[in-house]
Amino acid sequence: QGIPYSKAFFFDVYNAEHDLLSPREMAMIERHDMDHSGSCMKELCTWCQIEVAQARRAGHLDSYEAQCIQDRILEFRAAMDGMYDYTDQ
């Protein structure tokens, strides 16, 4: 079983360049084997959905904006699921 993008050569590079996750957040996802499973990606998508919901409740997004962002998150997750399904064959 492989993965479409390795942690070391994809995720870690972008995380270092853009400060996507804090060291604390990185520690929270360490239990997922990012190099052999899509479970980390699914958890990160869930975190994004929670952030959108919190932004909506706080009034930073209207309902239309929140729904559009949630739709994009779900589209991304579905695309990534397809990639992981393909590499698991």
Side-chain angles (χ1 to χ4, degrees), residues 18-67:
H18 300 288
D19 294 320
L20 301 172
L21 298 179
S22 69
R24 180 178 164 271
E25 291 166 329
M26 287 297 293
M28 291 170 65
I29 62 169
E30 277 298 314
R31 64 185 171 91
H32 297 289
D33 184 359
M34 197 180 292
D35 284 330
H36 296 98
S37 169
S39 62
C40 183
M41 175 273 305
K42 290 176 183 177
E43 181 157 339
L44 292 172
C45 286
T46 300
W47 290 4
C48 290
Q49 291 178 302
I50 291 168
E51 290 294 322
V52 171
Q54 289 174 345
R56 171 68 182 114
R57 282 193 299 275
H60 301 300
L61 300 171
D62 64 31
S63 59
Y64 177 77
E65 292 168 323
Q67 187 60 53

